[in-house]
Amino acid sequence: MSRLHAHIGTFRQLELLLALHDAGSVKAAAERLHLTQPTVSMQLKKLAEAVGMPLYEQFGRRLHFTEAGLAVVATARQVLGSVSRLDMQLADLRGMKAGTLKLAVVTTAKYFVPHLLGPFCERFPHVDVELNVGNRSHIIERLRQGEDDFYVFSHLPAGMALESTEFLPNPLVAIAPENHALAGQKSIPLKRFAREPFLMREPGSGTRYALERYLARRQVDLNVRMTIESNEAIKHAVMSGLGVSILSSHTLAFGGDAGLVVLDVAQLPIPTHWYLVRPSGKAHSVLAQAFFDYLETDGRALLRV
Ligand code: PGA
């Protein structure tokens, strides 16, 4: 550590020198800072000792700053300016006008979560949002590590202490290409639909988890033709006639549904819901709380379709 680092000990000394420079005399600087003249003189002396050179000279009533003194004044201005900006930034954070909101959402939630974030970010323009997207097992892992402020799932992981709020229905619907033989038929039996070649999400997907549980309870087996790790890729594969699938209706409503139809299958859609989740017992930032409150009020209204 240099001598300067060690000895320009206090911001106060820099503040005094700046006041002296701007006010023009020790007396005026002391008044400005509500200190006595001897205190100011003594602190300035210490500062000059630390620098190892005189910082100013006195000619009668006139002060003349040395080159070293002017250099310290310039740096003092920068340092004190940065500190006051930091102060403001911290005040903003306390008042939640700034900061980073960290969200981790399952892939299927990526269709509507950005629509929620738009108005929120408009209201808090200095807020940064970090949005992580992954399948259910990936997001559960992030939740275990406590990496984010909030998580969006449709099926909460078991065995974890969580606070959750249900905020939107997430129906899983049967989709087929427009020209499919079953398109337009009424109340297609689930077992009949299940005979069609099926395009399945990957293991670890929440959509797959919901689907498997739902069908197992009804003792229905699917004719799985292909496993595909993306809702978009499944939609394209369905459009091109590779098979049918069951996906969240949000993949259609917000992600486009050209070339696809929703089949009227008896016992479908599978009724699931989206939950906003956070670990219980964790201290939440003011910003995280603001997002939670926003979602409970305006966010819900925004997504109501
Ligand atoms: P997924 O999750 O994107 O991993 O399929 C969706 C869900 O949890 O419903």
Side-chain angles (χ1 to χ4, degrees):
M1 186 182 278
S2 78
R3 190 179 144 92
L4 268 181
H5 277 105
H7 296 289
I8 297 194
T10 64
F11 285 120
R12 196 60 171 160
Q13 289 172 351
L14 295 180
E15 226 176 340
L16 288 176
L17 187 71
L18 210 51
L20 178 70
H21 179 265
D22 295 349
S25 72
V26 171
K27 182 166 179 278
E31 269 167 15
R32 203 179 262 201
L33 297 172
H34 308 292
L35 295 170
T36 63
Q37 284 191 45
T39 307
V40 173
S41 301
M42 193 183 67
Q43 290 299 325
L44 289 173
K45 201 165 152 245
K46 280 193 182 161
L47 182 59
E49 275 165 13
V51 172
M53 282 180 272
L55 300 173
Y56 59 91
E57 290 153 336
Q58 185 101 35
F59 297 109
R61 294 178 138 238
R62 228 165 46 80
L63 277 185
H64 175 76
F65 274 76
T66 62
E67 207 178 324
L70 289 174
V72 178
V73 165
T75 298
R77 224 182 271 290
Q78 281 170 10
V79 169
L80 296 170
S82 297
V83 170
S84 101
R85 275 193 298 282
L86 173 66
D87 232 353
M88 264 157 47
Q89 232 172 320
L90 294 176
D92 274 357
L93 280 175
R94 280 180 216 112
M96 89 203 174
K97 281 188 255 139
T100 303
L101 179 71
K102 290 184 79 182
L103 296 174
V105 310
V106 289
T107 39
T108 306
K110 74 176 180 213
Y111 300 97
F112 63 88
V113 168
H115 294 273
L116 285 172
L117 292 176
F120 182 75
C121 292
E122 224 166 84
R123 192 173 308 172
F124 302 107
H126 302 296
V127 165
D128 291 325
V129 177
E130 212 181 286
L131 180 63
N132 272 285
V133 181
N135 72 16
R136 179 172 181 265
S137 60
H138 175 85
I139 301 302
I140 290 178
E141 193 45 42
R142 289 189 72 94
L143 172 60
R144 274 213 181 91
Q145 305 293 333
E147 295 193 48
D148 308 273
D149 293 311
F150 287 108
Y151 305 81
V152 174
F153 288 104
S154 66
H155 299 87
L156 304 186
M160 294 178 79
L162 301 172
E163 274 175 45
S164 66
T165 179
E166 179 187 312
F167 68 94
L168 189 69
N170 176 33
L172 306 184
V173 297
I175 58 167
E178 269 171 346
N179 57 358
H180 194 273
L182 296 176
Q185 290 193 22
K186 295 270 169 243
S187 281
I188 304 158
L190 187 55
K191 288 212 158 104
R192 167 67 191 86
F193 171 77
R195 290 213 304 272
E196 293 296 311
F198 193 87
L199 309 177
M200 180 66 115
R201 281 283 306 272
E202 77 286 1
S205 145
T207 307
R208 175 171 174 152
Y209 172 85
L211 187 58
E212 286 180 339
R213 280 205 325 180
Y214 192 79
L215 296 179
R217 256 185 261 130
R218 287 160 183 80
Q219 295 174 340
V220 173
D221 288 322
L222 290 170
N223 169 22
V224 175
R225 178 175 201 182
M226 214 184 271
T227 300
I228 303 182
E229 199 181 321
S230 135
N231 292 325
E232 278 76 26
I234 288 182
K235 277 165 53 180
H236 285 285
V238 170
M239 279 174 214
S240 70
L242 276 173
V244 297
S245 191
I246 293 181
L247 290 180
S248 161
S249 66
H250 294 294
T251 66
L252 307 177
F254 293 102
D257 61 354
L260 298 171
V261 285
V262 174
L263 297 178
D264 179 13
V265 178
Q267 297 179 292
L268 290 185
I270 302 174
T272 68
H273 286 87
W274 292 115
Y275 293 90
L276 185 71
V277 179
R278 55 185 176 181
S280 57
K282 192 181 162 199
H284 306 300
S285 69
V286 187
L287 178 58
Q289 190 56 43
F291 182 71
F292 188 81
D293 296 343
Y294 159 80
L295 193 89
E296 284 283 20
T297 52
D298 306 17
R300 268 181 211 275
L302 197 77
L303 290 173
R304 209 167 288 137
V305 269

